[in-house]
């Protein structure tokens, strides 16, 4: 199980790889388990909303 709360609290830089191979880097700002959506803020201050079912892999620094 992924600990999104820890990643949000520590503002960890993560790389998200979607099921179609697209890679996004940023900081997880919020997530909603009811809607299965993740909010990712990128370095250029843009925000991406990613459905959890579209995520293949999340790469984070070791904690």
């Amino acid at each position: 199980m992924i600990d999104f709360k820890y990643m949000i609290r520590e503002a960890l830089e993560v790389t998200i790889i979607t099921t179609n191979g697209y890679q996004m880097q940023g900081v997880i700002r919020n997530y909603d388990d009811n809607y299965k959506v993740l909010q990712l803020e990128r370095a250029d201050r843009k925000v991406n909303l990613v459905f959890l079912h579209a995520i293949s892999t999340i790469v984070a620094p070791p904690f």
Side-chain angles (χ1 to χ4, degrees):
M1 184 72 179
I2 298 172
D3 189 3
F4 288 122
K5 290 179 185 177
Y6 177 79
M7 291 182 191
I8 293 168
R9 185 175 61 246
E10 299 298 322
L12 296 177
E13 180 84 19
V14 298
T15 301
I16 293 177
I17 304 170
T18 62
T19 54
N20 65 354
Y22 187 74
Q23 294 187 14
M24 293 181 275
Q25 290 183 330
V27 176
I28 299 173
R29 290 294 176 209
N30 200 359
Y31 81 99
D32 187 334
D33 199 36
N34 294 327
Y35 294 105
K36 308 289 191 247
V37 174
L38 182 76
Q39 182 180 356
L40 181 74
E41 184 177 330
R42 300 185 331 203
D44 59 3
R45 308 295 283 175
K46 292 185 179 179
V47 175
N48 290 98
L49 295 177
V50 183
F51 287 99
L52 294 179
H53 73 270
I55 297 173
S56 170
T57 308
I58 297 178
V59 181
F63 38 102

